[in-house]
């Protein structure tokens, strides 16, 4: 029995074991006795601060970047030295520290961790592992079983999630890379400079009528180079982060095509080492606190926006160990686990990681030209900001300064991307939740009835509470392929790529027979496992939309509109539409009316109208100055615009009607406005107050109407969105459900496709006008206390 057992012997596991043993507790380490398999790239100044410079294999005076083919041939220097870690030296140094402080080691695999109630010791069961042959792996090297007792268990198993509980939330992003160390006599790369990011000679986007071009775009990737000597170089094709997992064979093809265009073909006989890696980034953090502690990648210490983690894990080990050991000595294992989780996932770390994850989600949405634009701004920031962001050194308040500086120094395209990303329903809300975490945690704590009791639990490696990450990888890739996605591409609605079925491990292969572990430029611990959960696709990417609201002139005769409407208003509507003189050909398609005359658009050039505005949607005039539809699911944005617009039309009527009745003294008194409501305790209703509006007392019977309407509204909206389903409503269009229930006047019933297309455009134009008007009413009321009709005598 020992005080602490650390499961996992990667850099993070060895570092935290040594730090804890140095503080006077007995520490055991359980893991297979295998070398580090990952290549680690680090910034020289950060590694030097850790006292580990002797563990570097190569040092580079500078790191170079190229954002496009017009950049200088010599590259753009970042003015920051870079280094490649020697895996053997780093492991030997960390093992020496463990030995020096008395860490006891057992070569084995932990299968199960059982925690007793409250402060009783935990039990670890597993199998001893022997690796007599370098070719043996964990599945064939198992020997006798073992059982250990420990007051505290620290899981440092990289991205293997089996021994920990994680919260529910969005799936992770994925960083994927494929590289080779190759003999390349007299290669053009400077031996004393690393190539950090090279976007030159990238594969072009699919355009025009190319197969698969509709609705998808190529996930950006770049070249990463570490010269070994003048005749040997390590080259790697890296996808920084994407919602889809780019298969290794696709990255391999990209790498070879890029090098060939650069005049550097790779010959198979010259390859010294071939490496591949995939790293889950972001996703849901571990449940905190929980009895099993975590450290390194298992604790979510991988930078969500860059994949860097080794320096962060090594640097934070002393403070983490200090808090855990202090808690262990003062209050036992329960207090120690709480103290450890507070260091890892307290208020400030959550705000920081929330911001980094916001950046990760932004990067996942960028196409290659947008990514080039972003990084040209990023590396042009003051060095303390860009370096601090990459190194997890910026506080949550400093990260706000970072964001504002990006916004100020960026061009208008980048500013629009940042604003639309912040305003998005997912990313912006999650960022707000991260910064509001202290208040949210206090509310959650208030709900708990008995926080002092710590229940028993058992976590098993062979029966993980989460789906194994490689299964998630394979399943997501298989689902993307079923949706018509080519390897290395994702759709504009990129969050829809994922598993068709959240259960099971899936049968699709990961697109390559390479092992999942291998090379990771800066990963921590094991190179496999970790992430979990996947989004459920709403529709086939690039396929036809069955409920998007876009107009199709060849609409099927049996739709929700035809099924639910009797057409009583069809003649009136058709007559009104035709009096407008509008036709679908003037409102839809390439020849539609746009926001400027064609003569001016021709002078502005082909980019005046964004390519993603194709004229399929009602009200599409080619106008999107903030580029909101560039990387978003544009149909989701349209649905939100339409619903908000309909509310705004009701609001406009709801403002103007009481303004008119008060001004004409029909209901209310002159000088009263639409917002003038109050509760009056006049004793007329006993202890209950009277409700007044516009100075008039509202009868008690009417007060209950909005209360009764609320559940009806919830039911109707649930049926529309599909949150609650009934077979009779199962096939309704989300934006234009129609029928007697949703179109009681029959406005859209039995009208021609031509007239229906014009009606949809008329509606969205009125929606936009009403939203502007409603906003004006609110500003007028808040700023001057005036109503919209005050200008009238």
């Amino acid at each position: 029995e020992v005080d602490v057992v650390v499961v996992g012997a990667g850099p993070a596991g060895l570092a935290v074991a040594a730090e804890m043993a140095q503080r006077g507790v007995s520490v055991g380490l359980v893991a297979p006795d295998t070398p580090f398999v990952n290549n680690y790239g680090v910034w020289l100044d950060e590694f030097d601060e850790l006292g580990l410079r002797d563990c570097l294999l190569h040092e580079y005076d500078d790191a170079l970047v190229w954002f496009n083919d017009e950049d200088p041939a010599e590259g753009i220097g970042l003015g920051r030295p870079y280094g490649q870690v020697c895996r053997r030296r780093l492991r030997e140094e960390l093992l020496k520290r463990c030995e020096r402080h008395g860490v006891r080691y057992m070569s084995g695999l932990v299968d199960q961790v059982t925690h007793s109630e409250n402060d009783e010791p935990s039990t670890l069961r597993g199998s001893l592992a022997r690796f007599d042959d370098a070719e043996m792996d964990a599945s064939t090297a198992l020997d006798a079983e073992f059982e250990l007792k420990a007051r505290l268990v620290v899981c440092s198993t990289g991205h293997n999630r089996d021994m920990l509980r994680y919260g529910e939330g969005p799936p992770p992003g994925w960083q994927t890379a494929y590289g080779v160390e190759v003999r390349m006599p007299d290669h053009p790369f400077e031996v004393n400079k690393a190539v950090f990011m090279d976007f030159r000679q990238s594969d072009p986007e699919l355009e025009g009528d190319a197969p698969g071009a509709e609705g998808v775009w190529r996930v950006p990737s770049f070249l990463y180079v570490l010269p070994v000597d003048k005749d040997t170089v390590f080259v790697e094709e890296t996808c920084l982060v994407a919602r889809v997992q780019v298969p290794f064979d696709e990255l391999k093809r990209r790498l070879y095509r890029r090098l060939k265009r650069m005049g550097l073909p790779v010959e198979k006989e010259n390859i010294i080492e071939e490496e591949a890696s995939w790293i889950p980034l972001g996703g849901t953090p571990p449940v905190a606190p929980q009895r099993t502690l975590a450290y390194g990648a298992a604790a979510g210490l991988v930078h969500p926006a860059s994949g860097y983690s080794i320096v962060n894990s090594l640097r934070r080990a002393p403070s983490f160990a200090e808090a855990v050991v202090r808690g262990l000595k003062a209050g036992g294992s329960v207090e120690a686990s709480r103290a450890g989780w507070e260091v890892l996932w307290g208020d400030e770390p959550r705000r920081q990681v929330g911001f980094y994850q916001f950046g990760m989600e932004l990067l996942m949405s960028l196409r290659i030209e947008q990514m080039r634009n972003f990084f040209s701004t990023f590396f042009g920031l003051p060095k303390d900001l860009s370096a601090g962001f990459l190194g997890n050194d910026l506080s949550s308040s400093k990260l706000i300064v970072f964001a504002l500086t990006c916004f100020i120094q960026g061009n208008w395209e980048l500013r629009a991307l940042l604003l639309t990303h912040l305003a998005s329903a997912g990313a912006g809300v999650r960022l707000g939740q991260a910064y509001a975490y202290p208040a949210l945690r206090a509310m959650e704590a208030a709900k708990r009835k008995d926080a002092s009791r710590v229940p028993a639990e058992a976590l098993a490696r062979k029966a993980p509470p989460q789906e194994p990450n490689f299964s998630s990888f394979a399943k997501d890739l298989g689902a993307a392929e079923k949706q018509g996605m080519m390897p290395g591409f994702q759709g504009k609605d990129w969050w829809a790529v994922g598993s068709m079925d959240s259960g099971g491990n899936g049968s699709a292969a990961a697109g390559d027979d390479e092992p999942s572990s291998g090379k990771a430029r800066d990963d921590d611990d094991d190179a496999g496992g970790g992430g979990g959960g996947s989004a459920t696709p709403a529709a086939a990417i690039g396929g036809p939309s069955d409920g998007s609201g876009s107009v199709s002139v060849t609409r099927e005769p049996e739709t929700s509109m035809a099924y639910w409407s009797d057409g009583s208003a069809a003649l009136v509507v058709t007559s009104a539409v035709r009096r407008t003189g509008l036709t679908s050909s003037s409102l839809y398609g390439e020849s539609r009316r746009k926001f400027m005359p064609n003569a001016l658009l021709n002078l502005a050039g082909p980019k005046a109208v964004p390519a993603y505005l194709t004229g399929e949607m009602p009200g599409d005039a080619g106008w999107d100055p903030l580029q909101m539809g560039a990387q978003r699911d544009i149909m989701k944005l349209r649905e939100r615009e339409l619903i908000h617009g309909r509310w705004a039309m009701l609001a406009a009527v709801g403002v103007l009607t009481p303004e008119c009745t008060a001004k004409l003294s029909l209901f209310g008194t002159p000088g009263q406005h639409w917002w003038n409501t109050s509760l009056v305790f006049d004793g007329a209703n006993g202890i209950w107050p009277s409700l007044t509006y516009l100075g008039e007392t509202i009868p008690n019977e009417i007060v209950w109407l909005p209360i009764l309407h609320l559940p009806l509204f919830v039911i109707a909206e649930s049926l529309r969105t599909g949150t609650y389903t009934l077979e009779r409503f199962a096939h309704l269009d989300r934006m234009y459900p129609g029928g007697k229930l949703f179109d009681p006047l029959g406005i859209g019933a039995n009208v021609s496709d031509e007239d229906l297309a014009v009606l949809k455009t008329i509606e969205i134009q009125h929606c936009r006008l009403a939203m502007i008007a409603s906003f004006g009413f609110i500003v007028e009321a808040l700023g001057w206390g005036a109503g919209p009709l005050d200008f009238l005598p």
Side-chain angles (χ1 to χ4, degrees), residues 390-544:
L390 291 175
N392 286 283
D393 285 338
L394 300 181
S395 66
S396 57
S397 57
K398 193 74 171 178
L399 284 168
I400 300 297
V401 176
F402 165 86
L404 292 174
T405 308
C406 272
F407 186 84
I408 293 170
Q409 291 194 195
N411 56 23
W412 278 110
E413 181 183 3
L414 180 58
R415 292 168 187 161
L417 288 171
L418 292 172
L419 288 175
T420 54
H421 187 59
L422 181 63
S424 67
V429 169
R430 285 190 286 275
L431 179 62
Q433 289 173 337
Y435 273 74
Y437 178 71
L440 296 176
R441 182 167 68 167
M443 293 170 59
E444 184 66 25
K447 295 178 182 178
R448 297 198 199 103
K449 295 182 178 179
D450 185 9
S452 60
R453 180 180 174 273
V454 180
E457 62 176 340
L459 299 172
R461 179 175 61 85
K462 294 181 179 178
Q466 284 84 25
E467 179 182 39
N469 212 50
F470 187 78
S471 296
S472 173
F473 179 102
K475 191 167 63 175
D476 283 1
L477 182 64
E481 290 175 347
K482 288 180 181 178
Q483 295 172 18
M485 299 285 289
M486 295 177 292
F489 286 76
Q490 66 185 29
K492 289 204 309 189
D493 51 344
W494 46 268
W495 50 80
V497 177
S499 167
M500 292 284 189
D501 181 6
S502 60
N505 292 336
S507 58
D512 196 83
D513 294 330
E514 307 271 359
S516 63
S517 61
K519 192 259 174 198
R521 183 172 72 253
D522 180 47
D523 188 16
D524 187 27
D525 304 323
D526 299 340
S534 55
T536 302
I541 308 292

Side-chain angles (χ1 to χ4, degrees), residues 560 564 719-720 722 724-733:
S560 59
W564 290 106
L719 290 173
R720 185 190 69 81
Y724 176 69
T725 58
L726 290 176
E727 184 176 355
R728 190 180 183 188
F729 299 96
H731 303 293
L732 291 183
D733 189 310

Side-chain angles (χ1 to χ4, degrees), residues 195-393:
V195 177
F196 186 70
M197 186 178 286
D198 187 352
F199 282 102
R200 294 176 301 170
Q201 300 294 342
S202 295
D203 287 340
E205 287 280 9
L206 293 181
E207 295 180 356
D209 298 327
E214 181 183 359
V216 301
W217 48 278
R218 191 184 302 276
V219 175
S221 59
F222 57 85
L223 182 66
Y224 172 79
V225 181
L226 296 176
V228 177
D229 54 43
K230 65 182 183 64
D231 296 321
T232 309
V233 65
F234 175 79
V235 289
E236 177 190 85
E237 190 76 16
T238 299
C239 168
L240 183 61
V241 61
R243 180 58 66 201
V244 296
Q245 305 92 346
V246 182
F248 297 139
D249 57 350
E250 165 65 12
L251 291 172
K252 181 177 181 178
R253 286 192 292 268
R254 291 191 188 187
L255 176 64
Y256 282 26
R257 287 195 298 262
R258 186 192 300 271
L259 292 175
K260 186 175 181 180
R261 287 192 288 265
M262 296 173 70
L264 303 170
V266 175
E267 303 295 338
K268 186 175 181 180
E269 58 271 16
N270 290 331
I271 295 177
I272 300 170
E273 185 179 20
E274 188 176 37
E275 299 177 313
S277 72
W278 50 267
I279 309 169
L281 304 180
T284 56
V287 174
Q290 57 180 296
R291 285 290 298 277
T292 304
L293 270 169
Y295 196 69
L301 297 189
V302 179
H303 196 302
S306 69
Y308 280 99
S309 79
I310 185 172
V311 170
N312 190 34
S313 295
L314 296 176
R315 182 167 50 195
R316 295 178 66 177
S319 60
F320 174 77
E322 180 66 31
V324 171
V325 172
R326 188 186 307 116
L328 195 62
K329 292 179 177 179
S333 59
V334 174
E335 179 59 31
S337 64
R338 287 175 179 165
W341 284 116
E342 185 64 25
V343 170
L344 296 173
W345 285 97
D347 297 347
E348 178 65 7
R350 280 187 187 268
R351 287 191 289 263
Q352 292 171 307
V353 174
F355 191 97
Y356 294 138
Q357 188 143 331
F358 177 84
M360 177 198 77
E361 293 175 342
L362 173 66
L363 291 173
M364 285 195 296
S365 71
L366 301 184
R367 305 190 185 192
I368 188 166
E369 290 301 327
Q370 296 168 330
M371 188 167 282
R372 285 167 165 165
N373 181 23
F374 173 81
F375 279 114
S376 64
T377 301
F378 177 87
F379 287 113
L381 298 175
K383 189 176 293 186
D384 63 318
L385 292 179
S386 59
F389 184 90
L390 291 175
N392 286 283
D393 285 338

Side-chain angles (χ1 to χ4, degrees), residues 38-51:
N38 299 334
N39 278 320
Y40 303 105
V42 295
W43 297 106
L44 195 59
D45 55 345
E46 295 179 348
F47 218 58
D48 200 15
E49 290 176 1
L50 297 173

Side-chain angles (χ1 to χ4, degrees), residues 754-776:
E754 175 88 7
D755 293 338
L756 185 61
V758 176
L759 277 174
K760 290 180 178 180
T761 301
I762 292 173
E763 180 189 29
I764 195 64
Q765 298 288 28
H766 281 80
C767 284
R768 291 165 178 169
L769 180 61
M771 286 189 284
I772 294 173
S774 298
F775 180 73

